[in-house]
Amino acid sequence: MPKDLWDITDRKSTKTKLELIKSTFYVWLTIWQAQNWINNEWYVIDLFAGQGFYTDKGKKVPGSSVIFLKQIKNQIKKLKDKGIEIHLFSIEKNKRNFENLKNEINGYLEENACINDVVDCKILNGDCNEEIDYVLEEISNKKENPLFVLVDPTGLQIKRRTMDKIIDLKNTKDILFNYILEGVRRTSGIELKKIRGEKISRREIKAVDTLKSFLGNDIKIIERKKPEDLKVLKSYVNATYSEKNLYVVGYNVEYPDRKDDLYYLLFASKNKKIVQIVKDIYARQKEKIKGKTLFNSKEFYIKSILEITPVRNEKELNYYFIKRKHLLYKTKVEYGDWTINHIIGCSHGCRFPCYAMMMAKRFGWVKSYEDWRKPRIAENALDLLEKEIKKYKESIRFVHLSFMTDPFMYDFKKGELIPEVKNLSMQIIALLNKNGIRVTTLTKGFYPIEEIVKSDLLKSNEYGITLVSLNQEFKVRFEPYSAPYEKRIESLYGLHKAGLKTWVSIEPYPTPNLDYSAKNIEKLLEKIKFVDKLVFGKINYNTQSKHFEENEDFYKEISQKVINFCEKNGIKYHIKVGTPTSSNEINGKKDTKYIFSDSNE
C-alpha cells in the first residue's frame, strides 16, 4: 500500500484505470443516447467514490465521480436535447474522504451550472454494502432505465450479496468492476492453510471471512501448492455475471516492478456489442502502454484481452440464442414487400394449426411443438441488418415484422413481454427507420406504448394486432399462450390515441364449428373500429373448418360484413386471396392488394 493512497505520481496502474473509466463511461453515454426504446431517466452508481480527486506531481486529477460529471458535460447538449436526466449516487465510507468528495462534486457543479439540468447528485457517507439498499429503492427498477455501476474498492470490501442485488435489477446494466487479484491471491493462500489444517491467527481468520463474503459460498478455493488466480477469477465471473447472461471482458493491470497482475478491470454487460467496443478500448490501451507489435498490433492485443461469455442454462430460460446468415428477404405474402424474421419459434403456441410452425418443422428448424414454443433469438441480427440495408435499401418500400414469428412475444407465465424479443424488435425498427425505411408490425402480444410513443420512430410505421375472436374458450383452445384479447386491443388503441397508424389482421378467421361466436363478427369489429386498415382471411389447414358444410357461403357473408363495416367507417381493407369476395376479385379493386405499399394511401 503506498504511503499516500491518493498520490498517483508514480502509479501507472491507477492512471491506466482512470483512463479506462473515462473511456468506458464515454462509450456508455454515447451508445445509450442512440437507443430509442429506453426511458430518459438514467442511473450511475459509484460504490467506492473516494475523495473525488488524486494528485499527480502536486496537481489535482479527477476521481471517478468527477470523471462522470466531466463526461456528461462533454455531451451536455445532446443529453439536454433528448431530455435525459442522470442520477449519480456516490458512496464513500471514510468520513474524511466523504467530506472531500462532497466538496469536489459540489464545487464542480457550481462551476459548471449547465449540467445541473441533467444531473442529480446524491453523495452518501457509509458502507456501500449497507447503503446499497437505500440506493436501489431510489432507482426505477425497469429494463428501460439504463444503469452504469463502478465498483472500485482498494481490497475485497465489496460483498457478493451486494453485487447479486445489483445484477438482479431489471435495469439494463453495464458494470465496471475492479477485481483485486492480489487481495484474492493473498487471502486464498490463508484459506489453503486452513484447509490443510494449519494454524491461522485471528487476523487471518477475519481475512478468510472477508474472502468468503467477497466470492460467495459457491466459489471454492481448490487445494494446490498455491492458489490458481485466474481459475478463481473465472469461477467468480461465471457465478456472478455469466450465469446471469452477462458478457465480461477483463483488462489485466500489471505490477510496475514485476511481471505479475495486480488486478483485473472487468466490464460486464448483456449487450454484446458494447462489450466488444470496450474490448477494443482495452486493446488500444494496451497498445498505447506496451507499444505496437511487428504484425497487426491491434489484433494481437485484442486476443490478449480476457473474455468470458454467458453460461446459459437453457432449462431456466424460455428462449435461447442463435446466429443467422441472412435476415432481410423479399416476401411472397400478397400484402407484403420485404420482411424480417429475427426469431425462430414463438412462445404463443397457436394451434390453428400455425403455418409458421408447420414450415419450421418441415425445414428441420424445430423438432416439436414444445421446441417451437422456445424461441431462438438471432443475436447477430443488428450486425446483419446494418450490412443488408446497404445492399437492398433502394428496392425496399417497407419491411414487415414478421410473417414467421412474433416481434412482441408474450410471456404467458409472467404476464409480460419477453424483454429480449421486444428489445431486439425495437432496435430493428429503429435501425430501419434511421435509414428511412418504414415498418409494419403484427403481434398477438401487446405493444410497449410508452417506449414507442417516446421514441424517434417514423410516424409512417404501422402497428397491427391479430384478432380473430373475443371468445375465451376459443383462445384457450387455439391461442393458449398469447396475450389476452383486451390487452392487445388496449395497447393498439393507446398507439392510435398517440396519433400512430394502426391496423388489425382478422386471420385466420374460424368457422362456427370451431368458434360458436364466429357468426357475430360485428361485436369484434366494433372493438377495433378506430384502426386505419384491416386485413381479413379465412382459416386454412384445418380439417374441421374444411368439413363445415356452409364454408363457402359463411365466408362470403362474413367477408361482405367486413367490407361494409370498413367502407362505412373509412377503414382501408384487404380481403385475402382464397377468401370469397377477395380484394382481387370484386369491383376490380386490385389496388387494395397493396394496402401497405404507400403509407399515404
Side-chain angles (χ1 to χ4, degrees):
M1 186 71 69
K3 291 181 180 179
D4 183 355
L5 181 65
W6 307 105
D7 186 351
I8 61 172
T9 302
D10 299 316
R11 287 163 55 199
K12 291 182 180 178
S13 60
T14 302
K15 292 178 185 179
T16 295
K17 177 181 67 180
L18 294 175
E19 283 187 45
L20 292 173
I21 290 171
K22 177 182 175 181
S23 300
T24 304
F25 188 66
Y26 175 83
V27 166
W28 185 81
L29 285 174
T30 304
I31 285 178
W32 286 115
Q33 286 179 69
Q35 308 305 309
N36 292 317
W37 57 271
I38 61 172
N39 291 337
N40 292 343
E41 198 169 16
W42 302 1
Y43 302 98
V44 179
I45 303 176
D46 190 353
L47 288 182
F48 295 88
Q51 66 170 12
F53 68 94
Y54 296 86
T55 57
D56 184 7
K57 296 179 181 177
K59 293 182 179 180
K60 271 189 177 183
V61 175
S64 51
S65 288
V66 179
I67 286 174
F68 296 146
L69 294 174
K70 280 178 170 285
Q71 291 302 309
I72 291 168
K73 183 190 173 185
N74 289 341
Q75 300 193 39
I76 190 66
K77 186 178 186 306
K78 292 179 181 178
L79 293 167
K80 270 188 176 182
D81 289 346
K82 287 185 170 290
I84 305 301
E85 183 178 355
I86 300 175
H87 299 270
L88 171 61
F89 297 88
S90 301
I91 307 173
E92 173 54 40
K93 184 178 181 179
N94 181 279
K95 182 67 176 175
R96 181 179 176 183
N97 290 342
F98 167 74
E99 292 298 332
N100 288 336
L101 175 68
K102 190 165 59 172
N103 290 335
E104 288 298 310
I105 290 177
N106 290 335
Y108 187 85
L109 292 174
E110 286 175 13
E111 291 175 10
N112 300 274
C114 62
I115 71 171
N116 285 304
D117 292 337
V118 171
V119 183
D120 169 49
C121 293
K122 286 187 172 62
I123 311 164
L124 307 173
N125 181 207
D127 184 341
C128 68
N129 297 292
E130 298 170 2
E131 296 296 329
I132 193 65
D133 290 329
Y134 163 77
V135 173
L136 298 188
E137 285 178 4
E138 294 290 299
I139 286 175
S140 179
N141 186 13
K142 295 180 181 178
K143 190 176 184 70
E144 297 78 20
N145 295 88
L147 169 65
F148 185 93
V149 183
L150 175 64
V151 187
D152 184 23
T154 54
L156 307 181
Q157 300 102 317
I158 186 72
K159 297 182 187 295
R160 169 73 179 278
R161 60 176 173 81
T162 302
M163 294 308 302
D164 287 342
K165 287 178 182 179
I166 293 169
I167 293 168
D168 286 341
L169 289 169
K170 293 179 182 178
N171 301 74
T172 302
K173 298 167 290 291
D174 297 286
I175 302 170
L176 198 58
F177 184 96
N178 189 354
Y179 180 97
I180 309 295
L181 201 67
E182 170 57 30
V184 176
R185 178 189 295 129
R186 186 174 59 251
T187 47
S188 294
I190 300 171
E191 171 73 356
L192 290 180
K193 286 172 63 177
K194 183 181 176 183
I195 291 171
R196 297 187 199 108
E198 298 176 23
K199 188 175 180 180
I200 59 176
S201 66
R202 287 185 179 179
R203 184 176 179 180
E204 288 176 322
I205 291 171
K206 189 175 180 180
V208 169
D209 290 341
T210 300
L211 176 67
K212 286 184 176 179
S213 295
F214 171 77
L215 291 177
N217 294 324
D218 51 344
I219 308 299
K220 304 298 180 185
I221 305 299
I222 303 170
E223 186 172 359
R224 294 285 199 291
K225 288 184 179 180
K226 64 176 183 177
E228 297 191 25
D229 303 330
L230 209 53
K231 282 190 175 181
V232 176
L233 183 152
K234 287 181 178 178
S235 295
Y236 175 81
V237 168
N238 281 329
T240 311
Y241 300 105
S242 302
E243 289 186 3
K244 303 288 180 67
N245 297 314
L246 294 169
Y247 293 87
V248 176
V249 289
Y251 184 101
N252 60 310
V253 176
E254 297 178 354
Y255 281 96
D257 54 354
R258 69 176 193 260
K259 196 174 181 181
D260 200 355
D261 294 325
L262 174 60
Y263 59 79
Y264 268 82
L265 195 59
L266 304 173
F267 179 80
S269 176
K270 270 194 177 181
N271 189 321
K272 189 176 180 181
K273 196 169 184 178
I274 295 179
V275 172
Q276 293 306 311
I277 292 172
V278 172
K279 186 178 181 181
D280 187 73
I281 290 171
Y282 282 2
R284 289 179 187 277
Q285 185 70 17
K286 279 188 174 291
E287 185 180 57
K288 179 180 175 182
I289 292 172
K290 293 179 174 289
K292 292 185 179 293
T293 60
L294 190 58
F295 300 105
N296 203 341
S297 181
K298 182 184 171 185
E299 185 64 26
F300 171 79
Y301 287 118
I302 283 177
K303 287 180 179 179
S304 74
I305 303 298
L306 174 71
E307 184 171 10
I308 303 174
T309 56
V311 178
R312 295 189 178 105
N313 185 343
E314 293 182 1
K315 291 182 179 179
E316 294 179 4
L317 295 175
N318 61 352
Y319 62 88
Y320 56 95
F321 294 92
I322 58 169
K323 288 192 175 181
R324 297 286 297 273
K325 293 182 179 179
H326 306 286
L327 200 67
L328 268 169
Y329 71 93
K330 184 84 171 173
T331 179
K332 293 181 180 179
V333 175
E334 61 200 80
Y335 60 84
D337 183 35
W338 286 73
T339 191
I340 288 175
N341 296 308
H342 47 300
I343 304 148
I344 294 175
C346 180
S347 63
H348 298 157
C350 297
R351 297 177 179 273
F352 293 108
C354 173
Y355 175 78
M357 185 184 74
M358 290 165 60
M359 291 298 101
K361 289 175 72 174
R362 179 180 173 183
F363 292 114
W365 299 338
V366 298
K367 297 177 182 178
S368 63
Y369 176 78
E370 289 72 24
D371 193 24
W372 170 256
R373 283 203 61 234
K374 195 170 188 177
R376 299 149 168 79
I377 302 171
E379 61 182 351
N380 63 332
L382 294 173
D383 292 334
L384 272 179
L385 186 57
E386 284 184 349
K387 296 175 184 177
E388 293 181 352
I389 284 175
K390 295 175 184 177
K391 184 177 180 180
Y392 301 119
K393 183 176 178 179
E394 296 306 315
S395 62
I396 297 174
R397 289 180 296 177
F398 66 96
V399 173
H400 179 71
L401 303 184
S402 302
F403 286 118
M404 292 289 286
T405 189
D406 195 301
F408 293 95
M409 224 172 273
Y410 185 68
D411 186 326
F412 184 78
K413 289 184 179 179
K414 295 182 179 179
E416 60 187 35
L417 298 178
I418 297 176
E420 287 72 13
V421 173
K422 178 203 69 175
N423 292 340
L424 180 56
S425 296
M426 289 293 289
Q427 288 172 309
I428 285 174
I429 296 168
L431 182 55
L432 288 165
N433 283 180
K434 183 181 177 182
N435 284 274
I437 300 171
R438 291 190 302 112
V439 177
T440 63
T441 59
L442 184 65
T443 184
K444 287 180 186 173
F446 61 91
Y447 287 104
I449 301 171
E450 189 175 0
E451 283 183 42
I452 293 173
V453 172
K454 283 187 175 181
S455 68
D456 295 326
L457 301 180
L458 293 178
K459 300 300 181 184
S460 54
N461 290 340
E462 302 184 58
Y463 304 92
I465 62 169
T466 296
L467 190 70
V468 299
S469 178
L470 298 175
N471 180 2
Q472 187 59 28
E473 292 177 14
F474 176 85
K475 183 185 182 303
V476 170
R477 182 180 172 191
F478 290 99
E479 296 181 3
Y481 305 109
S482 61
Y485 296 138
E486 286 301 325
K487 199 169 185 67
R488 294 183 219 175
I489 298 168
E490 285 173 8
S491 73
L492 195 67
Y493 184 68
L495 296 181
H496 163 76
K497 288 283 286 182
L500 301 179
K501 297 177 183 294
T502 57
W503 66 288
V504 170
S505 172
I506 307 179
E507 184 203 12
Y509 195 74
T511 47
N513 59 329
L514 299 177
D515 178 4
Y516 63 82
S517 68
K519 285 187 176 180
N520 185 19
I521 196 172
E522 292 87 349
K523 187 176 180 181
L524 184 153
L525 292 171
E526 282 297 317
K527 287 276 187 180
I528 47 95
K529 67 188 302 182
F530 59 86
V531 300
D532 302 292
K533 297 177 183 178
L534 187 152
V535 173
F536 179 82
K538 69 177 185 178
I539 194 169
N540 296 304
Y541 314 109
N542 186 294
T543 54
Q544 287 181 299
S545 174
K546 288 180 180 178
H547 295 156
F548 181 63
E549 291 183 2
E550 302 170 9
N551 187 300
E552 188 76 10
D553 291 339
F554 170 74
Y555 280 119
K556 280 183 180 178
E557 179 187 348
I558 296 298
S559 296
Q560 194 57 55
K561 286 183 178 181
V562 170
I563 292 168
N564 294 342
F565 175 83
C566 289
E567 292 182 345
K568 178 182 177 182
N569 291 282
I571 298 171
K572 298 184 187 302
Y573 63 89
H574 174 76
I575 309 299
K576 288 196 71 178
V577 172
T579 303
T581 67
S582 165
S583 298
N584 283 20
E585 300 169 5
I586 61 165
N587 301 326
K589 290 186 178 179
K590 292 186 178 180
D591 58 318
T592 55
K593 177 179 179 180
Y594 304 104
I595 190 170
F596 296 106
S597 63
D598 182 357
S599 64
N600 295 316
E601 279 186 339

